[in-house]
Amino acid sequence: MTQKQPDSSVPAGPGSGGPEGGALSHQRSGEPLWRTPRPLRALLVGGVGAAALAALVFTAATGFADPFVALAFCLVIAGGELARITLPGHRESAPIALAGAIAYAFLPSLGGEPVQHTVWQVTAVVALGVALGELPHVAVGRSPRLEDVARRVLTALLLAAAFRPLVESLSLTGPSVVVALLMTALVAVAWVLDVAVSAVLRAERLRTRLRVAMRDETLAQVATGGAIASSGVLIALACTVTGLVGLLVFTAPLLVSQVAFRRHSEVRRTYLETVRALSRVTEVGGYVENGHSRRVSQLSHGIACELGLAEAELLELEYAALMHDIGQLSLREPIAGGATVLASPREQRRIAELGSAIIRETGVLDNVAEMVRRQCEPLAGDGDEGVPPLGSRIIKVANAFDDLVGENGDAERRAAVVERLRMDTASEYDPRVVDALASVLAR
């Protein structure tokens, strides 16, 4: 619940206490999290880009082996990249493109005839297909996330580097149990490496803990990763018998799965957009300052990442932070400036309980409603319920900060507000959360 103070003074808090050491580093005094320097991302994109460019130049100079096969796989990869989807967590995925790339890297023969493409050619064909598929997106202003594109090319490069030499040395020309097991083992290792790279990039982007990012990425990619990997292996094995017909036949099931993933993603996105629209009702009605809910949500997200919350918890926290002030709609007259931190404890409790009751009417956001209900409680909690949920404690700190700073607070005022919150860590605010806020602001 939130709003900016017009003057430069910082009101005294409801309690006092000592600070508990910390960091306050994320969002308000520096660049947003997603714009902060990301050297690991730059290293991945630059390295894969250089390898792809070298592969294209080398393959163009030496000539393409089996050019018709290369063209067919390139077009499938391009079509899959064109149909890429955005999954929950802002993850871009191109299942058909990646399955086609895996199949081309693994392809030992086509219809019984050996194929001769090298690691360089696999990298060149995949990179070219990805680039062609992304061109229409770029033309209409939907530029891809370069790290996700680089990961797809990197996966094909690693698989080709591991498998193509074996094709030549062991004369693998047809489907067999050994070939199938080898492909399965390699693609499993590649999936683990891809999840690890994705987790490192996520930890760097969100400034969260690597362990948490690794768990989130594993859970998020286990379904899509299994479908893509199995499809890639099946396409490669089928093409050894049926030729390019296998490429079309075994791409169809993956297309159906992609449609299902897309629908799930769209439902979740629509849900979040609805919550965001609902959170603006208090702003449109003049109960809080414009942008307050968004700022509290962003700041809460940064604090939660600093504290290592999992992705599912981050989503619930985002919902709760966006709607934390919705109980103000029950007020006959808005609070001055919308700053609930300046309201009496009784009034704060009433607003929180009414907001929680509204959210519970959805029937599916009980955890969010509970976070909103307990956001104004002191650090030790009220009554027998004990300490409020961590999400409630995060929202309380983020809301108080934005209420006292608002949108245009200068560095001196931000520092003063942080110190004011530190003074209340013995009774009102969780010292760990205040320290995390400091780390967010410092960045």
Side-chain angles (χ1 to χ4, degrees), residues 55-205:
L56 282 167
V57 171
F58 180 80
T59 306
T62 58
F64 282 83
D66 303 307
F68 184 74
V69 178
L71 177 61
F73 276 91
C74 183
L75 292 177
V76 168
I77 293 170
E81 197 69 30
L82 180 62
R84 64 173 164 82
I85 56 178
T86 301
L87 298 175
H90 305 288
R91 297 177 177 87
E92 284 186 359
S93 180
I96 295 175
L98 185 52
I102 292 172
Y104 191 57
F106 279 159
L107 190 66
S109 62
L110 189 71
E113 295 296 325
V115 292
Q116 305 298 325
H117 54 262
T118 63
V119 176
W120 288 108
Q121 181 166 318
V122 170
T123 306
V125 168
V126 172
L128 185 59
V130 168
L132 290 175
E134 287 296 345
L135 281 178
H137 289 291
V138 174
V140 296
R142 292 196 303 265
S143 298
R145 287 178 57 177
L146 294 179
E147 61 267 38
D148 292 334
V149 173
R151 282 171 44 219
R152 290 193 280 277
V153 177
L154 178 63
T155 298
L157 190 158
L158 293 177
L159 289 175
F163 188 78
R164 299 315 304 174
L166 295 178
V167 172
E168 297 178 6
S169 61
L170 301 179
S171 299
L172 303 177
T173 58
S176 67
V177 174
V178 174
V179 172
L181 290 177
L182 179 59
M183 290 180 178
T184 302
L186 289 176
V187 82
V189 172
W191 180 80
V192 172
L193 291 175
D194 182 63
V195 168
V197 171
S198 178
V200 169
L201 294 174
R202 180 179 177 83
E204 182 184 55
R205 175 168 57 92

Side-chain angles (χ1 to χ4, degrees), residues 20 29 31 47 54 70 119 127 146 189 242 297 299 331 340 405-406:
E20 192 176 305
S29 69
E31 290 285 324
V119 176
L146 294 179
V189 172
T242 65
S297 175
L299 195 56
L331 302 178
T340 53
V405 172

Side-chain angles (χ1 to χ4, degrees), residues 34 63 104 119 121 149 171 175 196 222 233 367 377 381 404:
W34 51 90
Y104 191 57
V119 176
Q121 181 166 318
V149 173
S171 299
V222 66
V233 171
N367 289 341
E377 293 182 9
L404 298 173

Side-chain angles (χ1 to χ4, degrees), residues 190-246:
W191 180 80
V192 172
L193 291 175
D194 182 63
V195 168
V197 171
S198 178
V200 169
L201 294 174
R202 180 179 177 83
E204 182 184 55
R205 175 168 57 92
L206 298 182
R207 302 301 177 105
T208 191
R209 299 169 187 174
L210 180 58
R211 172 179 54 82
V212 175
M214 189 71 182
R215 181 184 60 195
D216 288 341
E217 290 301 308
T218 301
L219 293 175
Q221 297 188 41
V222 66
T224 55
I228 294 169
S230 59
S231 296
V233 171
L234 287 173
I235 291 171
L237 293 174
C239 286
T240 62
V241 178
T242 65
L244 291 178
V245 174

